Amino acid sequence: MPELPEAETIARSLKDCAVGLTIRRVFVLRRDVIEGDVGRFRQGLRGRRIERVGRRGKNVVFELDGGMVLCVKLGMTGRLLFRYGLGWPADSWPRHVAVGFHLRPDATLIYDDVRRFGRLELLDAAAWAERSARLGPEPLEASFTAAALAQILAASRAPVRSLLLDQTRLAGIGNIYANEALFAARVHPARPAASLTRPEVGRLHRAIRAVLRRAIAARGTTIRDYRDPNHGAGDFAPRLRVYGREGSACPRCGCTIKRLVLAGRSTFLCPRCQPGKGWA
DNA sequence: CATACGTCCTGCCAGC
DNA sequence: TGCTGGCAGGACGTAT
């Protein structure tokens, strides 16, 4: 569920509330969300201080003293919820707690995940570096240029949306922002990646970065499940122009937005703004 | 090697 | 009102 803007929002929020605190105790209520040995996970985290919190792609990354890294992959419905003091907002008591991190008598970090597609993994610095190296470039870094995108797209005849979703080629983009970026760039999602013209690649590059920046500024998209560590919903959902809007009017040309299934997943597009002769 | 599909899991919602 | 099928922001493993 959470894509780059949501992971970024979570990481920024945790910088304020969790950095500097020490993990006193770890409660694992759902063993299946832990990657690797649960005992090693709990022992390895106990007593460690949270030095920094960041993000890589869609992953929230905790750097701990001693060089260990806790990598949280949120899957579709994973949440990192922070609690000061006692109690939660009455309407958002976590109902699917998978892991709890006791930080102080009055501060707890919860990993909550309805569907449990998310994973938590404790890695040493070398293993983390190796993992990170397997992910594609960060789309918001200055080094991610239009030429870099062109190089990624030129290597494949697969539908351009599949490339955008492939974390080993480009990190952080999921189905919502892939659809939004392709709409903004006026490129049909099923177009073979290598078939995009130079101007189309340029538009897609700009669109990817613009939609991600705007979504971060809005603190992410909440369709249903996403919440930041303080239980806040993201504000970007009303600004989505095609995702989830089948049957409504295209905000650019007014014709009807269509949904189609591509590689088993919903794809939303405006058939007039994103012409795809033969791919529609 | 690259791409496509089924699978993991629970909850919600439309339609009957 | 209650049941059923379809669908969901992800990504892995296996088959082709």
Side-chain angles (χ1 to χ4, degrees):
Chain A
M1 127 193 163
E3 309 181 28
L4 185 154
E6 292 74 33
E8 179 68 26
T9 302
I10 290 167
R12 287 183 186 180
S13 175
L14 291 174
K15 272 175 201 164
D16 297 331
C17 60
V19 165
L21 300 184
T22 296
I23 299 169
R24 312 279 166 133
R25 210 168 155 191
V26 181
F27 302 86
V28 177
L29 286 79
R30 293 289 198 164
R31 306 175 71 90
D32 53 358
V33 304
I34 307 297
E35 201 72 61
D37 184 74
V38 175
R40 189 189 153 273
F41 180 84
R42 296 177 67 241
Q43 303 301 323
L45 284 170
R46 185 183 301 170
R48 297 268 74 95
R49 183 171 181 275
I50 300 170
E51 303 277 10
R52 304 166 68 183
V53 184
R55 174 194 63 75
R56 175 80 172 95
K58 302 173 186 176
N59 304 290
V60 177
V61 179
F62 295 77
E63 293 176 45
L64 310 169
D65 68 299
M68 298 296 278
V69 169
L70 170 63
C71 178
V72 179
K73 193 161 47 181
L74 296 148
M76 293 277 256
T77 54
R79 296 173 172 180
L80 282 164
L81 301 171
F82 193 82
R83 174 178 74 96
Y84 277 120
L86 300 171
W88 300 85
D91 59 342
S92 56
W93 193 279
R95 288 188 295 178
H96 303 278
V97 175
V99 182
F101 301 91
H102 180 57
L103 302 175
R104 277 198 326 226
D106 63 343
T108 306
L109 180 65
I110 294 292
Y111 180 70
D112 177 277
D113 191 346
V114 182
R115 293 173 72 181
R116 301 200 304 285
F117 288 174
R119 291 293 179 268
L120 281 66
E121 187 169 13
L122 181 62
L123 301 155
D124 62 32
W128 167 244
E130 197 180 311
R131 181 69 52 92
S132 181
R134 286 208 290 268
L135 293 173
E138 285 291 330
L140 292 179
E141 298 226 324
S143 57
F144 179 66
T145 58
L149 178 62
Q151 199 174 352
I152 291 166
L153 298 180
S156 173
R157 303 178 309 107
V160 58
R161 192 199 57 161
S162 298
L163 276 261
L164 298 182
L165 295 181
D166 182 344
Q167 302 300 298
T168 69
R169 307 200 216 218
L170 191 56
I173 297 178
N175 206 22
I176 291 180
Y177 301 113
N179 278 280
E180 292 297 307
L182 288 163
F183 171 78
R186 285 173 279 131
V187 172
H188 193 289
R191 286 274 301 284
S195 78
L196 268 64
T197 64
R198 199 182 175 88
E200 286 173 330
V201 173
R203 295 204 301 268
L204 185 56
H205 174 256
R206 291 182 59 86
I208 287 167
R209 291 164 65 100
V211 72
L212 293 176
R213 282 205 205 91
R214 288 183 196 129
I216 289 169
R219 303 179 54 81
T221 300
T222 296
I223 307 273
R224 174 181 301 161
D225 300 297
Y226 171 70
R227 291 288 123 97
D228 70 25
N230 300 308
H231 289 261
D235 296 327
F236 200 69
R239 313 252 284 278
L240 297 175
R241 298 201 282 171
V242 286
Y243 184 86
R245 302 183 55 81
E246 180 187 19
S248 57
C250 167
R252 188 191 284 119
C253 77
C255 83
T256 306
I257 292 167
K258 295 277 183 274
R259 180 180 92 97
L260 58 90
V261 175
L262 192 59
R265 306 187 69 188
S266 285
T267 306
F268 299 90
L269 70 147
C270 169
R272 196 190 297 174
C273 296
Q274 298 161 273
K277 266 184 265 179
W279 295 291

